[in-house]
């Protein structure tokens, strides 16, 4: 496999060089107008699936140089609804593109759901796009905030900033999530290298249903694509300040500018975020989950010529949390206890994530080529021992600060992708590629049993079980997908992906007496194990255009979550590692996408049925704090989704989503205390039966043609009954949340007052299967001010 990986760059460069002959370019000229007469300066014009783009001048005029052919271009401008148009270089007349004011018509949304830019309403599977403006309107600060906005999506965390996300009843139940998250095209490889903070976002795309063919591992239930804003020929920037109850403070700053016009571009943006938290620690009366973070995103783009573009991108997220696990025990008292915990060992969590990427994009007349190289790392430790029993007793503490060589995950990935050219001349659109990765996970963690360890069942006190593991994973995938227009209205898409992964793990367990660090029991010999597996992920779909604004589609797709190695039991004296198999999901879907009333109403719906085989069931075992994972059963999930968006009255916007999921285990046998317990028929965890969201926003013009407006917004979000443990003993009843946002806005500034959970609803948002529970945020409010320049 190593030899193959080394050959890939050479092969790609040879192929690219053989096709890189110069071609005479065609000139496309046009203008961007409002109401057909008023020029729009600074509108962005972009040729889809290329690096070719420009901005309009003071008279609204623009010019593009492209290879001869038909293309689709996207046009957007601040304060106007975006549109996309088809152009043909054989047409000699100059283009006139008219943009409507924002809030009057729905946007034409461009997405990269199939790893190429296309109209979201033409994508033949369930996909939702949240625009940059909607990110601000919904006040999305963390990716978990999209729960209920996206039908049948739920996301939460226990307070440590690592979100568990489910879509359509398939949930992230280990460090290999079920929902693959991509940030600017880079796969956030696992929860270790995951950046959940949202700022300076261009759009968020959510693809529902298995996406294994193009996205591979961990796209079991879907994909979240987060695309941030990139620098262009137009110099721009912003500053944002938000503050609110419980010491919430968020300060962002960004600048994007051309260094050399049409050649070299720089983008810099940063965010500081802090809060005093919502929990109090009764043990010492302190603010328990007080935290702050610094996040940065830095771009450098070089356009060598009309064919080649290179982008270097760095991201980092440095998070500090004093009280990372605000959890209450037992679960049935979590609501009664409210936002109070009682923990004797409070530690500062240090969580440093770094992502770097280099992309090279070639746009040609016969094909396009992309190379994406990434490096990701995460260093995560507790500065002092952290409470492991979530109580005031000196029973269990977790220790993991053993130097930077430990608990420092590192991932390298490389993808080469080749696809059909940007022109629309052919009935066949295709893409294919190769993806490789290498991950190293060195983990060292001590479980300390203190003077009160007897309350958690330990017969011995004042000793530490030290577990050391070094894991290495590497993999290679080959994939391809093609769409062919069988007729003017009927399209066929088919694809296939092959993944191969290899995992190695060394493990050592010691029991050390305090304070003398000598072995208390016989040290378990160094144990090592390897496992490998492969997976095929096919996809086939048919789409039929009822008319230019409506399509119906049906599809089958498959996803997989990789297997791995786990302890055969929580007893380290056994010293045995166990290989568990990959988990597979098969998805059957029928859907309909529509636009009516000249883009004033959009209505999408889908029915789905999913089967999950070899379901991976991890269980956190206390007091050892060891996760044991097994392939324990089969899951079926079926349901329905509805999304609607409308601007039926000038200035009045409506967004609605509804999702129903019935996900249960047809077989589920979980080992407990030496015997297997059947949970056949039980509901899936982290899966509300219903999700629903209604948002209404009214924009009232205060001064004609100035863009100054009054904004009034209200949101209702509903979550149905859900469970947090496989035994279905920890349950959250249905609940609803109310949010609001109102203020004054224009194209270059806004001041907004916002409030979340107006009804101060108390509900469990996250719980471990042993009962430790975390509540969703209580009522909180604040004010945000943004200035764009």
């Amino acid at each position: 496999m190593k030899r193959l990986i080394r050959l890939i760059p050479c092969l790609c460069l040879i192929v690219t060089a053989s096709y890189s002959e110069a071609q005479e370019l065609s000139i496309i000229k046009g203008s961007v107008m409002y109401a057909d007469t008023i020029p729009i300066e600074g509108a962005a014009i972009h040729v889809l699936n290329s690096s070719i783009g420009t901005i309009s001048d003071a008279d609204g005029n623009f010019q593009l140089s492209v290879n001869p052919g038909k293309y689709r271009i996207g046009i957007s401008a601040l304060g106007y609804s975006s549109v996309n148009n088809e152009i043909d270089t054989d047409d000699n007349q100059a283009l006139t593109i008219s943009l409507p004011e924002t809030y009057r018509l729905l946007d034409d949304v461009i997405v990269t759901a199939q790893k190429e830019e296309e109209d979201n309403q033409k994508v033949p599977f369930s996909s939702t796009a949240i625009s940059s403006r909607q990110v601000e309107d919904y006040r999305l600060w963390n990716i978990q905030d999209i729960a209920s906005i996206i039908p049948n999506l739920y996301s939460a965390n226990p307070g440590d900033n690592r979100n568990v996300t489910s879509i359509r009843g398939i949930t992230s139940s280990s460090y290999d999530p079920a929902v693959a998250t991509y940030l600017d095209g880079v796969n956030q490889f696992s929860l270790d290298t995951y950046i959940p903070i949202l700022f300076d976002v261009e759009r968020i795309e959510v693809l529902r249903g298995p996406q294994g063919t193009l996205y591979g591992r961990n796209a079991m239930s879907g994909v979240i694509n987060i695309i941030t804003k990139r620098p262009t020929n137009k110099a721009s920037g912003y500053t944002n300040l938000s503050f609110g109850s419980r010491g919430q403070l968020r300060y962002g700053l960004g600048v994007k500018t051309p260094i050399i016009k049409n050649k070299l571009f720089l983008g810099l943006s940063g965010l500081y975020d802090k809060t005093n938290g919502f929990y109090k620690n009764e043990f010492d009366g302190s603010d328990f989950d007080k935290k702050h973070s610094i996040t940065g995103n830095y771009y450098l783009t070089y356009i060598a010529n009309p064919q080649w573009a290179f982008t270097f991108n760095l991201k980092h997220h440095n998070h500090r949390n004093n009280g990372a696990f605000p959890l209450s025990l037992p679960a049935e008292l979590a609501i009664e206890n409210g936002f109070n915990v009682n923990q004797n060992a409070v530690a500062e969590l240090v969580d440093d994530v770094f992502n770097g990427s280099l992309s090279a994009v070639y746009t040609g007349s016969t094909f396009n080529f992309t190379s994406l190289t990434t490096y990701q790392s995460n260093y995560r430790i507790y500065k002092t021992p952290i409470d492991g029993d979530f109580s005031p007793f000196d029973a269990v503490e977790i220790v993991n600060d053993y130097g930077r060589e430990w608990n420092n995950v590192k991932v390298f990935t490389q993808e080469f992708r080749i696809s059909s050219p940007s022109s629309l001349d052919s009935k066949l659109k295709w893409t294919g590629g190769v993806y490789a990765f290498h991950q190293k996970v060195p983990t060292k963690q001590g479980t300390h049993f203190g003077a009160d360890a007897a309350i958690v069942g330990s017969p011995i006190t004042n000793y530490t079980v030290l577990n050391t593991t070094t894991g290495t994973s590497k993999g290679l995938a080959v994939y391809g997908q093609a769409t062919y227009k069988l007729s003017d209205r009927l399209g066929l898409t088919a694809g296939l992906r092959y993944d191969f992964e290899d995992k190695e793990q060394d493990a050592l367990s010691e029991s050390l007496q305090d304070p003398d660090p000598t072995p208390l029991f016989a040290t378990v010999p160094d144990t090592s194990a390897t496992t490998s597996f492969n997976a095929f992920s096919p996809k086939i779909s048919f789409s039929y255009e009822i008319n230019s604004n409506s399509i119906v589609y049906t599809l089958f797709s498959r996803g997989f979550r990789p297997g791995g190695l786990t302890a055969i039991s929580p007893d380290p004296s056994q010293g045995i590692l166990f290989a568990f198999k990959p988990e597979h999901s098969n998805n059957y879907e029928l859907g309909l996408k529509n636009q009516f009333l000249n883009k004033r109403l959009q209505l999408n719906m889908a029915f789905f049925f999913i089967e999950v085989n070899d379901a991976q069931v991890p269980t956190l075992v206390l007091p050892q704090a060891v996760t044991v994972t097994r392939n324990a059963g089969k899951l079926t999930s079926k349901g329905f989704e509805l999304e609607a968006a409308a601007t039926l009255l000038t200035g009045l916007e409506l967004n609605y989503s509804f999702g129903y999921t019935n996900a249960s285990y047809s077989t589920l046998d979980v080992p407990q205390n030496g015997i297997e317990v059947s949970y056949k028929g039980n509901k899936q965890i982290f899966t509300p039966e219903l999700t629903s969201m209604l948002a209404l926003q009214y924009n009232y013009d205060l001064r004609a043609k100035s863009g100054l407006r009054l904004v009034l917004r209200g949101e209702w979000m509903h979550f149905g009954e859900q469970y947090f443990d496989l035994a279905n003993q920890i349950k959250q009843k249905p609940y609803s949340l109310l949010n609001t946002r109102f203020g004054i806005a224009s194209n270059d500034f806004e001041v907004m007052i916002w409030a979340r959970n107006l009804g101060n609803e108390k509900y469990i948002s996250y719980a471990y299967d042993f009962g430790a529970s975390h509540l969703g945020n209580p009522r909180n409010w604040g004010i945000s001010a943004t200035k764009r320049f």
Side-chain angles (χ1 to χ4, degrees), residues 382-487:
Y382 312 113
K383 282 189 174 181
T384 56
I386 192 169
D387 205 314
D389 55 84
F390 312 113
S391 78
F393 301 104
D394 180 20
V396 180
E397 295 177 350
I398 306 300
V399 184
N400 71 351
D401 187 4
Y402 294 101
R404 293 196 69 90
E405 67 272 21
W406 296 104
N407 306 303
N408 196 345
V409 177
K410 298 177 181 178
V411 182
F412 167 83
T413 72
Q414 175 65 58
E415 182 175 13
F416 297 104
R417 184 170 70 251
I418 188 170
S419 61
S420 52
S422 307
S423 67
L424 306 176
D425 297 315
S426 175
K427 292 184 177 181
L428 179 67
K429 302 292 289 184
W430 52 269
T431 186
V434 179
Y435 175 82
F437 75 87
H438 185 278
Q439 179 190 40
K440 188 174 182 180
V441 185
T443 303
K444 193 170 187 177
Q445 178 172 296
T447 304
H448 174 72
F449 296 87
D452 301 321
I455 67 172
V456 295
S458 175
I460 304 174
T461 61
N462 298 314
Y463 74 101
T464 299
V465 176
L466 182 61
N467 291 308
T468 304
T469 61
T470 301
T472 301
S473 301
K474 48 186 179 289
L476 179 67
V478 181
Y479 64 89
Q481 179 173 297
T483 298
Y484 185 74
K485 296 288 289 185
L486 298 171
S487 68

Side-chain angles (χ1 to χ4, degrees), residues 286-300:
S286 64
D287 292 326
F288 183 77
D289 53 338
K290 188 175 183 179
K291 53 193 173 184
H292 67 276
S293 66
I294 298 175
T295 311
N297 186 16
Y298 317 108
Y299 274 107
L300 186 64

Side-chain angles (χ1 to χ4, degrees), residues 450-668:
D452 301 321
I455 67 172
V456 295
S458 175
I460 304 174
T461 61
N462 298 314
Y463 74 101
T464 299
V465 176
L466 182 61
N467 291 308
T468 304
T469 61
T470 301
T472 301
S473 301
K474 48 186 179 289
L476 179 67
V478 181
Y479 64 89
Q481 179 173 297
T483 298
Y484 185 74
K485 296 288 289 185
L486 298 171
S487 68
D488 289 340
R489 295 189 176 188
L490 182 63
L492 167 66
T493 298
L496 181 66
R497 183 186 186 103
Y498 173 77
D499 283 88
F500 174 83
E501 293 197 16
D502 180 81
K503 293 192 175 187
E504 302 175 6
Q505 187 166 309
D506 297 318
L508 176 66
S509 182
E510 303 172 274
S511 298
L512 308 175
Q513 181 70 60
D514 298 337
D516 183 16
T518 57
L520 181 63
F521 310 115
T523 298
V524 176
D526 191 359
T527 303
S528 62
T530 62
T531 186
S532 61
F533 47 85
N534 55 53
F536 286 95
S537 303
K539 173 182 179 179
I540 185 168
S541 71
F542 289 91
S543 63
Y544 182 78
E545 292 190 15
I546 301 171
N547 52 51
S548 59
N549 295 314
S550 300
I551 70 165
V552 61
Y553 64 86
T554 181
L555 71 85
F556 165 80
S557 61
R558 197 174 201 218
F560 89 100
R561 177 160 40 197
L565 294 163
T566 186
I568 200 167
S569 86
D571 181 1
S573 66
Q574 294 195 27
I576 300 173
L577 293 172
F578 174 81
F580 57 92
K581 297 183 294 184
E583 181 180 87
H584 297 276
S585 61
N586 297 315
N587 177 62
Y588 306 86
E589 184 175 332
L590 175 66
L592 181 66
K593 293 186 174 183
N594 304 280
Q595 282 188 333
F596 305 103
L597 304 178
N598 192 27
K599 295 184 181 180
R600 288 181 176 271
L601 174 63
Q602 183 172 293
L603 186 66
N604 298 340
M605 62 186 70
F607 299 86
F608 64 88
F609 177 80
I610 303 175
E611 294 178 311
V612 178
N613 297 305
D614 295 319
Q616 295 173 7
V617 178
T619 301
L620 180 62
V621 181
L622 293 180
Q624 295 88 347
V626 174
T627 299
V628 178
T629 303
R630 293 286 185 276
N631 298 102
K634 182 178 180 179
L635 175 78
T636 59
S637 178
K638 50 187 176 290
F640 169 74
E641 295 165 348
L642 173 69
E643 294 180 286
T647 56
L648 300 179
L649 300 175
T650 299
L652 180 62
E653 297 177 279
L654 177 149
N655 286 276
Y656 177 71
S657 73
F658 174 84
Y660 166 74
T661 300
N662 182 358
S664 60
Y665 286 92
S666 53
T667 61
L668 182 60

Side-chain angles (χ1 to χ4, degrees), residues 33 97 99 140 387 646:
M33 299 287 178
I97 299 168
L99 295 185
L140 302 181
D387 205 314

